[in-house]
Amino acid sequence: MSTAQEVRRVEHIMGLPISLRIDAADSDGGASVAASVAADRVFAWLREVDARFSPFIADSEVSRLGRGELEPHELSPDLVEVLALCEEYRVASGGAFQVRLPGRGLDPCAMVKGWAVQRAAELLLAEGVTTFCLNAGGDVVSAGRPWRVGVRHPEQADRLCAVLEITDGAVATSGRYERGDHILDGRTGRPATGLLSLTVVAPSLTEADATATAAFAMGADGIDWAAAREGCEVFAVDAERRVFRTSGFPVAA
C-alpha cells in the first residue's frame, strides 16, 4: 500500500523566497528520495542562474555584457535565449517591455525569473517528478493535480482578491504593492501607474511572467493586449479599482 510522501524546500534566491512542494507516493520511500535529489538540482540551477544573470553581481555574465566586456559570440546559449525573449516581448509590447533603459544598463530580471523557474519545472519533469508546485515570490508553476493559488489584494496585504485552481500551468502577477513603482514603461522611462495589479495564467511561467510584466508596463491598454495573447487568461485591477477578468480565468470553485 502506497503512503503519501512530501518533499518541501524553501530558499531565498534572486532576491525572493522560492518554495517547492513535491508530492510522491511510494511504499518504500524511493520516490521521496528521488524527489529530494530532484529538488537539490532545482535549487542548484536557480542559484546558478542568479550568479550568472544577476545585474547586481559584478562578475555575472549579464554585468560583463552590460559593461561591454563580452562580444555576441562569447555569450552562453542560455543568455542568448533570454535576450531573444526580451526582444520578442519588447517588439510585441511596442517597447513597453524594455531591459535596456537609459541610466540603468542591462537588466533582464523581468525575463530571467519566469524563464529560470520554468526551466526548473522542466528539470523536475525530466527527473520523473510529475506532481509539484514551485512558487517564486508568488509566481507559480505547477503540475500533476489541481493546485490552489491565491492572488493578493493589491491594497490589502491580508486579503485575496481571487483564488485560482491551476493544473499543469503557471500564474504570475505584476503589481505595485510589494516593491512600489518598480516596473517602468520602456516607452517613457517612467513608472507604469495605470494598473494596481495584473495576473496572467499561461501554459508556462516564462510566458505568464513576461506577459504580466509587459502588460503592466503598458498600463490600462495592457489588459486587452495580454488577454489577446494565445493561451493567456487575465485578471486585472486598474488604477481606478475596476476589476477585469477574462472568461477562462480559472477561479477555484
Side-chain angles (χ1 to χ4, degrees):
M1 181 176 178
S2 296
T3 301
Q5 305 285 336
E6 289 184 3
V7 173
R8 293 176 182 258
R9 299 279 180 85
V10 180
E11 291 193 23
H12 199 85
I13 305 172
M14 294 188 284
L16 67 156
I18 299 179
S19 65
L20 171 63
R21 173 178 163 179
I22 298 173
D23 289 358
D26 190 349
S27 57
D28 62 7
S32 177
V33 172
S36 183
V37 171
D40 290 341
R41 292 174 179 168
V42 160
F43 285 101
W45 157 250
L46 294 172
R47 288 191 296 271
E48 176 189 339
V49 167
D50 193 30
R52 290 169 55 196
F53 294 161
S54 173
F56 309 108
I57 297 176
D59 62 350
S60 73
E61 186 177 6
V62 163
S63 293
R64 294 179 64 208
L65 176 61
R67 292 194 299 267
E69 297 173 3
L70 296 175
E71 296 296 329
H73 69 274
E74 297 178 294
L75 303 183
S76 68
D78 285 342
L79 185 52
V80 170
E81 180 181 345
V82 166
L83 293 176
L85 286 167
C86 291
E87 179 62 10
E88 175 187 332
Y89 277 85
R90 185 192 68 80
V91 172
S93 67
F97 184 96
Q98 180 61 263
V99 298
R100 296 178 184 269
L101 289 165
R104 297 187 62 172
L106 175 63
D107 182 356
C109 290
M111 180 61 68
V112 167
K113 182 182 72 170
W115 170 85
V117 175
Q118 180 62 38
R119 285 276 294 266
E122 292 164 5
L123 186 157
L124 288 170
L125 293 169
E127 293 286 333
V129 176
T130 59
T131 307
F132 62 84
C133 183
L134 183 55
N135 184 330
D139 294 342
V140 173
V141 57
S142 65
R145 67 167 176 82
W147 295 85
R148 290 202 165 195
V149 180
V151 177
R152 210 202 87 164
H153 192 287
E155 296 182 301
Q156 300 180 46
D158 60 344
R159 291 186 58 192
L160 299 176
C161 56
V163 177
L164 317 184
E165 194 165 81
I166 304 294
T167 303
D168 298 326
V171 55
T173 298
S174 288
R176 300 162 61 190
Y177 49 81
E178 288 288 351
R179 297 168 57 194
D181 292 330
H182 70 288
I183 298 176
L184 303 183
D185 181 343
R187 299 167 297 187
T188 65
R190 296 192 297 269
T193 57
L195 300 172
L196 295 183
S197 71
L198 186 139
T199 299
V200 174
V201 174
S204 79
L205 193 57
T206 306
E207 184 170 12
D209 196 19
T211 300
T213 302
F216 193 92
M218 295 172 73
D221 292 341
I223 300 173
D224 289 341
W225 176 83
R229 293 184 65 81
E230 184 176 358
C232 292
E233 300 291 343
V234 178
F235 179 96
V237 182
D238 71 9
E240 298 178 5
R241 293 161 183 80
R242 294 176 297 187
V243 175
F244 302 84
R245 187 177 78 189
T246 55
S247 59
F249 195 73
V251 177

